Amino acid sequence: MGAQWKAKHKDLAANARGRLFGKLSKDIMIAARNGPDPAANSRLRLVVEQARKVSMPKETLERAIKKGAGLTGEAVHFEYALYEGFAPHRVPVMVECLTDNVNRAASEMRVLFRKGQLGTSGSVAWDFDHVGMIEAEPAAAGADADMAAIEAGAQDVEPGEEGATLFLTDPADLDLVSRALPAQGFTVLSAKLGYKPKNPVDPASLTAEQLEEVEAFLAALDANEDVQNVFAGLGA
């Protein structure tokens, strides 16, 4: 039983890692359209840094850059699609897709949202702020996140995962703040545009079973090959 569990756990971890690399490869290819040199392409630089943080193989990283920049002769065509709706128990959700087949993506979103509710454009977006999200960690002890946010031009700060800090910016200031944070004592781990819920549902208002249903729904969305980011209006 123990060996079987370990093997299953290992497979799940490998699948999750594969999905992460797949999503990052898409981001890299999209960013590399504006040039294959991270030093001259700020969007590519940020994604490349993120890929290195999660130990994406160098060959995978370089292949994605070359493919996106059109250096391999392969046609790369991804379309952006945004879906809005509700997870079970009326938890609002924004789903960003990058797909090479919009009809397939739309069909799969309809299926996935059967356990929730797929909305029309604008039906949920009003309950989210479109912001820049920068995850960073102190480069040295004593770095002050609030002061760094003021000096770098961020709008707000929040606790991030595993001791990191989440700096929130105006969408237009994402790269500017990302470049300014290192001078304020913070190492940038990731930077992206995203959606921050204005009125998140309090997890304490849901039963354990209801919360499990919401989390299973969100996990199923995230596992879809066309889904790039999932933003849920669920509190911490």
Side-chain angles (χ1 to χ4, degrees):
M1 182 70 178
Q4 287 181 337
W5 183 87
K6 285 180 181 178
K8 183 178 180 182
H9 183 73
K10 189 175 180 181
D11 287 344
L12 288 172
N15 289 339
R17 195 171 180 81
R19 286 199 304 273
L20 175 60
F21 288 167
K23 292 176 191 293
L24 283 169
S25 290
K26 279 187 184 178
D27 278 338
I28 290 166
M29 284 187 272
I30 294 292
R33 289 176 180 175
N34 295 324
D37 181 8
N41 182 339
S42 60
R43 184 177 175 187
L44 179 60
R45 175 176 53 80
L46 290 170
V47 185
V48 166
E49 285 177 4
Q50 192 175 348
R52 285 175 175 155
K53 290 287 184 186
V54 296
S55 302
M56 175 185 274
K58 185 180 178 182
E59 298 77 18
T60 305
L61 175 59
E62 291 179 348
R63 185 167 62 248
I65 291 175
K66 289 177 181 177
K67 194 171 180 180
L71 302 177
T72 64
E74 299 174 79
V76 178
H77 181 69
F78 290 117
E79 291 188 56
Y80 175 84
L82 181 65
Y83 294 91
E84 306 175 31
F86 293 93
H89 312 295
R90 301 297 291 175
V91 173
V93 180
M94 302 283 286
V95 184
E96 291 184 322
C97 292
L98 277 177
T99 179
D100 57 2
N101 187 324
V102 288
N103 292 328
R104 179 191 67 218
S107 175
E108 291 182 355
M109 285 301 107
R110 285 194 293 270
V111 171
L112 287 166
F113 268 93
R114 282 177 184 167
K115 292 188 177 180
Q117 180 184 344
L118 186 62
T120 55
S121 179
S123 61
V124 170
W126 63 270
D127 203 19
F128 287 81
D129 287 320
H130 191 214
V131 296
M133 298 177 166
I134 303 169
E135 190 177 17
E137 62 184 10
D144 188 317
D146 291 320
M147 186 60 67
I150 293 170
E151 294 294 330
Q155 292 181 332
D156 201 1
V157 291
E158 292 182 357
E161 296 180 2
E162 299 179 2
T165 298
L166 183 65
F167 292 85
L168 301 172
T169 78
D170 183 275
D173 294 338
L174 179 64
D175 185 55
L176 188 69
V177 177
S178 296
R179 287 177 176 272
L181 280 173
Q184 303 305 321
F186 280 82
T187 301
V188 174
L189 303 176
S190 68
K192 65 182 180 181
L193 295 176
Y195 292 89
K196 184 179 183 297
K198 296 177 183 177
N199 305 291
V201 174
D202 184 352
S205 68
L206 303 174
T207 66
E209 185 179 348
Q210 288 173 333
L211 191 57
E212 193 173 303
E213 289 174 0
V214 173
E215 289 174 346
F217 176 85
L218 297 176
L221 282 175
D222 190 57
N224 182 271
E225 66 173 313
D226 290 322
V227 172
Q228 202 68 1
N229 294 297
V230 178
F231 302 97
L234 188 65

